[in-house]
Amino acid sequence: AGAQTIPLADWGVSSPETLSQPSWYGSTGLVYTPSAMITPPLKINGGVHRVDFDETQTVYNANVALASNIELGVARIQDVAPAFGATNQVYTNETIVNGKYKLDLSSWLGGIKAAPEIAVGVWDAADSVNRSFYLVASMDLDVAKIAGVSGLKAHIGFAESERATKNGDLKLGGMDGLFAGIEFVPIRNALLQVEYDTEDFNAALRYFPTPLVALEVGLIDGELGFGASARTPL
């Protein structure tokens, strides 16, 4: 059916651009920042991305939801910059572990459908680079349909990093402060994401040639990046 370009989404299957997406650097989210969304239980999503910083950085990551409200992930990051002030200026390869727990806010509020999704999580739980804890809220903005905007979601959160030093230009200092972002569907089979990651603005465009694969191009702190992500069938 896919070879004949039959619109499967019209048969009750969610369009891929409306589903939660793996972030470039870790948990389900936008480009660098996490969202309160979680991939479906026992399904895996992940990807590989490269960003042309001073040293070309490659990131491999994968996430799995152990239940409807618990997500675990791992990322292998090549060419991590030394932290500011570090005596060792050698770039290293690091593996980070991420975790996220989604709170059941809707049931606490009596089943209010308009309630945002809320999650708490940790980026780099083992503190291989710089551990950060965060709280994030995500919400569908249905009112945007009036303006003809499809799939608009807003995300806002706060993160705290355990160390004051940061890994600078390679975006691996651990989030520290307020972060926010939006995403929407500009055209069918595409998703545009824009965010503020506590320090810089990032953006990415994801295009879905198939329901399970996305091809991506973006700007991370003004630097060009590209990659691909994939998910297991729903």
Side-chain angles (χ1 to χ4, degrees):
Q4 299 299 319
T5 66
I6 294 176
L8 297 180
D10 294 339
W11 294 2
V13 178
S14 297
S15 299
E17 66 271 19
T18 65
L19 303 175
S20 58
Q21 306 297 330
S23 67
W24 286 33
Y25 284 84
S27 302
T28 297
L30 300 173
V31 186
Y32 181 55
T33 62
S35 69
M37 298 176 178
I38 289 180
T39 194
L42 302 181
K43 302 300 180 181
I44 300 173
N45 65 26
V48 56
H49 298 88
R50 299 191 70 181
V51 183
D52 292 328
F53 294 118
D54 293 338
E55 295 286 336
T56 299
Q57 185 184 91
T58 304
V59 185
Y60 306 88
N61 75 284
N63 302 302
V64 60
L66 303 181
S68 62
N69 60 345
I70 300 176
E71 180 183 275
L72 293 178
V74 62
R76 179 64 175 175
I77 307 170
Q78 298 180 346
D79 292 322
V80 178
F84 290 141
T87 56
N88 185 355
Q89 296 299 309
V90 176
Y91 287 78
T92 60
N93 299 332
E94 302 289 351
T95 299
I96 65 172
V97 177
N98 307 302
K100 184 192 298 185
Y101 178 77
K102 185 167 70 172
L103 306 176
D104 192 3
L105 184 63
S106 179
S107 65
W108 298 349
L109 297 177
I112 298 176
K113 294 183 179 180
E117 296 185 73
I118 305 289
V120 294
V122 57
W123 188 90
D124 186 19
D127 201 21
S128 299
V129 176
N130 193 348
R131 181 165 46 216
S132 290
F133 296 94
Y134 63 85
L135 171 70
V136 61
S138 299
M139 189 170 186
D140 289 319
L141 301 180
D142 293 334
V143 68
K145 293 179 181 178
I146 299 175
V149 179
S150 174
L152 180 62
K153 299 180 179 67
H155 314 276
I156 187 169
F158 185 84
E160 183 172 352
S161 174
E162 293 196 339
R163 293 182 237 163
T165 57
K166 304 217 170 183
N167 287 81
D169 293 337
L170 295 198
K171 303 305 301 169
L172 291 174
M175 295 181 297
D176 192 16
L178 183 70
F179 62 91
I182 61 170
E183 56 186 330
F184 63 93
V185 179
I187 59 172
R188 185 178 176 88
N189 295 328
L191 180 67
L192 181 62
Q193 300 176 311
V194 181
E195 67 180 12
Y196 174 71
D197 67 10
T198 77
E199 290 187 62
D200 304 296
F201 289 94
N202 311 311
L205 178 66
R206 304 180 189 241
Y207 175 72
F208 298 84
T210 77
L212 303 180
V213 175
L215 303 179
E216 300 156 6
V217 62
L219 289 175
I220 313 296
D221 188 18
E223 302 294 340
L224 180 65
F226 60 91
S229 59
R231 66 174 67 247
T232 52
L234 297 179

